[in-house]
Amino acid sequence: MPLTHTRELFAKALKGKYALGAFNVNNMELLQAIVEACEEEKAPVMLQISKGARDYANPVYLKKLIEAAVSTTTIPIAVHLDHGDSFELCKQCIDEGFTSVMIDASHEPWEKNVEVTRRVVEYAHKHNCVVESELGHLVGAQFDDGEEGGNYSTGGHYTHPEEAVQFVRESGCDSLAVAIGNSHGAYKFKGEQHLDLERLKAIKKALMDAGLGDYPLVLHGASSVPKEIAQKINQYGGTMGEDTAGVPEADIEIARRVGCTKVNIDTDLRMAMTAAIREVFVTKPKEFDPRKYLAPARKAVKELVRHKIKNVLCSAGHAFD
Ligand code: G3H
Ligand code: 13P
Ligand code: ZN
């Protein structure tokens, strides 16, 4: 079975009101874990590859691994460039057959972000590819700019609803990654903090009111950083801080219902893998066959992905809609 286009997966997810899991792939075990879980739960899936993954594993190896996964499963799979940092990298991935790319120029001034996104969009659309771009800064909830005079402040870290509309119109991007208190990694929040879900609703509504339809939004930094996994890592010799914190799964559930169509998860997979490997190293110190620790690591990632697609993203069961 060939790759399924990101456009098609988005259209079905919007219609079915579920979110696509976009899981980061860096090696064979992660890929197998993600695809096996999605196959067993009949979930469509987006595999995403970062620049770091390409540097680590070699783009040719990743392409061949994904070809192997696609040829041994029946579920719909799309392949996406995560956090492309230049037109050239996006072009390479488009030329390699990725079904979508992200151009991330969110750290640049508005004009530059629009300009590079436009350029990627023009090339992508000529080559049957769609583009995700980002507006705002993923700085976490502690940097909430608050509100000005009852309205959302403009030009701040968080995505402003009207600016989102203007950005989509000017850049022509096909989906938009938003900043609503989300951030990458295992230390997202301080204490009891949450995503700004009211702002997310306002962004979705502004896009709808502007005639852009049921426009797909993307949530980066969506790992929930489970405490029990952090504890297991520490139990077996790791030193993850006390202050690990992720997005509560209840927040992701609401984000999904409000209209986050693609939900990016990487850190949780890394942690599940690390905890399982550490456990083998500590409980079986004589073991030196990599398969003896990579197999439990793969299983742990698989169960985590299964949980996400069944209980949080609700994409399970939708592979053949
Ligand atoms: O958002 C970033 C992803 O977790 C990928 O991370 O650039 O270390 O591969 P990476
Ligand atoms: P996490 O660090 O929360 O897993 O976010 C992953 C991500 O956004 C990849 O683009
Ligand atoms: Zn991200």
Side-chain angles (χ1 to χ4, degrees):
M1 178 171 173
L3 287 175
T4 303
H5 206 284
T6 300
R7 198 189 294 116
E8 189 182 325
L9 290 195
F10 273 17
K12 287 189 175 162
L14 284 163
K15 192 157 175 259
K17 304 221 173 295
Y18 57 89
L20 295 158
F23 300 105
N24 287 70
V25 173
N26 291 280
N27 65 15
M28 184 185 76
E29 284 76 13
L30 284 164
L31 175 62
Q32 289 175 327
I34 296 162
V35 171
E36 279 176 25
C38 292
E39 168 97 49
E40 286 174 19
E41 298 303 328
K42 299 186 174 47
V45 68
M46 292 191 65
L47 301 174
Q48 53 182 15
I49 314 275
S50 69
K51 183 171 190 276
R54 286 166 69 84
D55 292 344
Y56 170 75
N58 181 328
V60 180
Y61 276 76
L62 288 172
K63 189 176 162 65
K64 295 288 175 192
L65 283 171
I66 291 174
E67 273 171 25
V70 168
S71 72
T72 54
T73 182
T74 54
I75 53 161
I77 297 178
V79 176
H80 176 81
L81 168 66
D82 190 28
H83 293 283
D85 62 353
S86 65
F87 171 80
E88 289 69 28
L89 176 58
C90 291
K91 179 179 179 301
Q92 268 172 32
C93 293
I94 294 166
D95 292 347
E96 286 171 27
F98 282 41
T99 54
S100 47
V101 293
M102 176 192 194
I103 174 70
D104 183 0
S106 55
H107 50 284
E108 300 281 6
W110 175 281
E111 292 73 22
K112 181 89 183 143
N113 192 0
V114 168
E115 182 195 312
V116 67
T117 302
R118 246 272 48 94
R119 194 165 166 226
V120 174
V121 166
E122 274 164 20
Y123 188 80
H125 286 184
K126 276 190 207 136
H127 295 83
N128 193 29
C129 187
V130 289
V131 180
E132 171 186 327
S133 191
E134 180 169 307
L135 183 65
H137 306 128
L138 301 196
V139 287
Q142 61 270 42
F143 287 94
D144 187 352
D145 335 272
E147 298 178 7
E148 279 172 3
N151 292 309
Y152 295 116
S153 52
T154 52
H157 290 301
Y158 282 22
T159 309
H160 186 282
E162 292 307 327
E163 288 180 348
V165 171
Q166 193 187 342
F167 184 80
V168 169
R169 281 200 174 125
E170 287 182 17
S171 71
C173 62
D174 303 285
S175 59
L176 186 69
V178 293
I180 53 167
N182 42 329
S183 67
H184 294 115
Y187 303 88
K188 298 184 193 299
F189 299 143
K190 299 231 180 306
E192 272 295 299
Q193 291 179 313
H194 290 272
L195 296 179
D196 187 347
L197 294 161
E198 287 307 314
R199 183 182 295 253
L200 181 66
K201 277 185 209 160
I203 295 169
K204 188 82 183 174
K205 182 172 181 316
L207 290 159
M208 181 69 87
D209 291 349
L212 290 158
D214 196 359
Y215 188 86
L217 298 175
V218 178
L219 189 67
H220 281 248
S223 280
S224 52
V225 190
K227 284 283 175 211
E228 64 277 12
I229 303 186
Q231 277 159 8
K232 185 166 169 184
I233 289 174
N234 290 347
Q235 180 187 346
Y236 294 112
T239 54
M240 295 200 72
E242 286 292 299
D243 50 344
T244 56
V247 181
E249 287 183 344
D251 282 25
I252 309 263
E253 277 251 33
I254 298 171
R256 167 181 66 75
R257 276 190 257 123
V258 170
C260 271
T261 303
K262 170 173 175 276
V263 170
N264 288 13
I265 298 176
D266 187 6
T267 296
D268 284 354
L269 275 56
R270 295 178 178 193
M271 288 176 66
M273 187 162 218
T274 300
I277 291 175
R278 279 192 174 278
E279 181 177 10
V280 176
F281 283 174
V282 170
T283 57
K284 297 176 186 159
K286 290 205 169 81
E287 192 55 72
F288 61 89
D289 178 347
R291 293 170 298 184
K292 296 289 175 1
Y293 52 84
L294 290 175
R298 183 172 55 192
K299 187 162 180 283
V301 174
K302 181 174 169 180
E303 291 317 311
L304 187 125
V305 171
R306 189 195 303 283
H307 165 66
K308 298 285 179 187
I309 58 179
K310 271 176 79 173
N311 306 324
V312 186
L313 309 176
C314 300
S315 56
H318 286 287
F320 309 108
D321 286 359

